Amino acid sequence: MSLSISLITIDTADPQKLADFWTKALGTEVAHDWGEYLVLAPTSEGGPQLGLQRVPDPTPGKNRVHFDTHVADRVAEVARLVGLGATEVAEHTVPGLTWTVLADPEGNQFCVGQLG
């Protein structure tokens, strides 16, 4: 038996509002909406889904779990995401990889990386 990640969930005060950002950012749609909890369709066959869960008091400060994305043109993608409402937090480079840390409209951090 092997374990695989099928869903990553973000705690939020307003799942529908945050879904507006993430569906546009990921180019996907809401697959299930149960009011307090929604799930976005995966962006690739077999890829994980993103869940958005209403909680009364989202965790303050930096989220302890985040996800990384990889794109061919990081600068253009960061600009697009900022235009949708993300905030640029930091940029890092190691040999062979540069990534930008962004925060979605509720402050949940995620990374956009580019190899090379």
Side-chain angles (χ1 to χ4, degrees), residues 6-87:
S6 60
L7 180 73
I8 299 167
T9 301
I10 296 175
D11 291 347
T12 176
D14 188 342
Q16 286 74 20
K17 182 177 176 183
L18 201 55
D20 183 57
F21 171 81
W22 282 112
T23 56
K24 291 174 183 171
L26 297 173
T28 189
E29 59 189 28
V30 174
H32 304 283
D33 184 345
W34 296 288
E36 300 291 311
Y37 187 78
L38 24 115
V39 176
L40 306 186
T43 58
S44 63
E45 183 68 34
Q49 293 178 289
L50 183 63
L52 303 171
Q53 171 178 267
R54 184 183 317 276
V55 295
D57 187 21
T59 305
K62 184 184 182 303
N63 46 303
R64 294 182 59 138
V65 175
H66 70 274
F67 58 90
D68 298 336
T69 63
H70 291 94
V71 295
D73 186 345
R74 182 185 51 81
V75 173
E77 185 63 9
V78 167
R80 183 181 79 85
L81 293 167
V82 167
L84 291 175
T87 303

